[in-house]
Amino acid sequence: MYDVIVVGAGPAGCTAAKALAEKGYKVLLAEKFKMPRYKSCSGILIKKSMGLVKSYFGEDVPESAMCTPTENRGMIFTNDAGKEYRFEQEGLNVWRSHFDGWLAKKAGESGAEVRDGVSAFSCTEKDGFVEISLHGANNYTESARYVLDCEGAVGILKRKLTGEITGYITTFQTFNEGSIDLAPHYFYAYLQPELSEYDAWFNVKDDLLVLGVSVKDMDKIGHYYRRFIAYMEEKHHLRIGRQTKEEKWLMPHIRPGCRVDYGVGRILFAGEVAGFLNPMGEGISAEMESGYCAANAVMGHFDNPETVQEVYRQSTENLKSYMQRQWSLVGGMAGTFREME
């Protein structure tokens, strides 16, 4: 019997697992992918994320997790009218596989059992504990007093527990050798509706040009990607020599009000699966903070499960308010997101 089983070794899961394990709780951190896990992501740590890493993990992000240029200087938005907004802020440029791998390593060093290549496909609350079905080399079950679901946008546990089907945004990005007339130290987001159904973006990682679009209709990826490439060629003299990789991913479609699902009984949701996601896919800070709050709620009221979820909700009120303000800001910036204002 574990005290807590954490599902998903991303920023939310690793933060929660480390916080619990270092206080002496028996923790299993289960990850469906083999470590180091990869996630399609900008890999930009904003100043807030850097501070949370220092606070929760006791040290700065190691150089081994970074890519060049290591320094990120902020975000530059272009709205639907072509107006540019600059948000200068210190940040870091990392590979998510290396960053998440380091977080999981720190959780393991704190005493959590880290088990990769293991998928969770159902969980059932029983009398005083939760039984969770896992699949690795074979099917088996484990039990815990609590389960923290940190699977991300497409988590299967939440879907089975609540019966709800979350709306998704599909992201598509490519990595390319080439050149462009843009400073490599910024993350660029383009909100023009002719370029995507959500947003398009550009950044640089280890001298590779990363270009992406996000859509509501997956069949329109090619259409919008071609438009975006043509736009970047015309506006910023993009020249692609060779494409080295392409990838698709899903993220939750955040709706007006920024609904958050905190959990069901002894099963808590944290990170994207709960609905914590800031504009332009900045989820790392929200994942870490929500994972930490969920862990603290469990630790503070371990023998009173009826109060854990409410304490978790209360402790994330500022996080949710921050998320709502960020979405409102983008809503006031571009008609594409007007409903979020």
Side-chain angles (χ1 to χ4, degrees):
M1 174 75 72
Y2 290 92
D3 292 320
V4 183
I5 294 176
V6 181
V7 182
C14 291
T15 301
K18 181 181 186 300
L20 288 157
E22 67 186 3
K23 294 298 184 181
Y25 290 85
K26 186 178 180 182
V27 180
L28 170 63
L29 176 59
E31 167 57 44
K32 66 179 177 180
F33 295 112
K34 284 291 185 181
M35 301 295 286
R37 69 193 284 277
Y38 182 76
K39 178 176 181 177
S40 180
C41 175
S42 69
I44 301 300
L45 300 187
I46 62 174
K47 187 176 181 179
K48 182 179 181 182
S49 300
M50 294 164 61
L52 292 175
V53 169
K54 184 74 171 180
S55 175
Y56 298 157
F57 289 82
E59 57 188 278
D60 294 322
V61 179
E63 289 187 8
S64 60
M66 300 179 197
C67 53
T68 56
T70 58
E71 177 192 8
N72 178 263
R73 297 174 184 168
M75 300 182 71
I76 299 176
F77 291 81
T78 301
N79 75 356
D80 50 355
K83 182 179 179 180
E84 191 176 275
Y85 296 82
R86 300 177 68 91
F87 297 92
E88 302 280 347
Q89 182 186 105
E90 66 174 299
L92 288 175
N93 194 8
V94 302
W95 287 113
R96 278 297 299 271
S97 55
H98 300 339
F99 177 67
D100 289 5
W102 176 72
L103 296 181
K105 178 172 176 281
K106 299 300 289 184
E109 290 173 353
S110 295
E113 177 187 342
V114 182
R115 197 181 298 174
D116 64 357
V118 175
S119 299
F121 55 89
S122 70
C123 61
T124 305
E125 184 169 346
K126 299 196 173 182
D127 185 17
F129 68 97
V130 180
E131 186 175 85
I132 185 166
S133 299
L134 302 170
H135 175 76
N138 48 48
N139 296 334
Y140 60 100
T141 61
E142 296 282 11
S143 298
R145 295 286 300 278
Y146 293 90
V147 167
L148 300 188
D149 182 3
C150 307
E151 294 178 284
V154 294
I156 192 171
L157 293 183
K158 179 186 173 184
R159 204 159 62 241
K160 288 188 174 181
L161 285 165
T162 66
E164 295 180 4
I165 299 176
T166 305
Y168 299 115
I169 297 295
T170 301
T171 66
F172 173 78
Q173 65 180 12
T174 63
F175 293 75
N176 309 273
E177 296 173 350
S179 62
I180 194 170
D181 293 343
L182 287 172
H185 295 86
Y186 292 88
F187 181 87
Y188 300 83
Y190 301 88
L191 309 183
Q192 300 96 311
E194 65 269 20
L195 301 181
S196 76
E197 291 184 308
Y198 206 67
D199 70 327
W201 61 89
F202 167 77
N203 65 316
V204 177
K205 303 187 85 64
D206 282 347
D207 297 323
L208 293 174
L209 310 182
V210 184
L211 297 131
V213 297
S214 51
V215 297
K216 300 172 185 175
D217 181 350
M218 201 181 306
D219 293 334
K220 295 181 179 178
I221 286 175
H223 167 75
Y224 283 109
Y225 180 75
R226 288 188 293 271
R227 281 192 169 192
F228 182 50
I229 294 300
Y231 171 86
M232 297 297 276
E233 288 173 342
E234 178 184 352
K235 295 289 185 179
H236 302 295
H237 303 102
L238 169 68
R239 296 293 179 267
I240 294 177
R242 183 174 71 94
Q243 179 180 307
T244 63
K245 185 172 68 169
E246 66 177 45
E247 57 193 25
K248 293 179 185 176
W249 207 263
L250 293 175
M251 65 179 183
H253 187 185
I254 305 300
R255 310 300 298 166
C258 301
R259 174 185 168 181
V260 173
D261 296 314
Y262 297 95
V264 178
R266 290 176 177 267
I267 303 149
L268 302 184
F269 306 140
E272 285 185 17
V273 75
F276 289 111
L277 183 69
N278 298 318
M280 308 306 107
E282 193 291 300
I284 293 175
S285 66
E287 287 189 36
M288 295 182 72
E289 193 169 352
S290 62
Y292 187 76
C293 288
N296 272 339
V298 169
M299 289 189 288
H301 303 272
F302 192 80
D303 294 320
N304 297 287
E306 64 278 1
T307 66
V308 168
Q309 194 174 135
E310 178 58 22
V311 169
Y312 174 40
R313 185 193 67 77
Q314 292 176 4
S315 67
T316 55
E317 283 183 353
N318 288 338
L319 172 59
K320 183 178 179 181
S321 178
Y322 172 85
M323 179 174 68
Q324 290 172 327
R325 292 196 304 273
Q326 293 295 304
W327 280 106
S328 180
L329 176 67
V330 174
M333 192 186 306
T336 313
F337 295 93
R338 192 72 71 214
E339 65 175 5
M340 303 300 293
E341 191 175 7

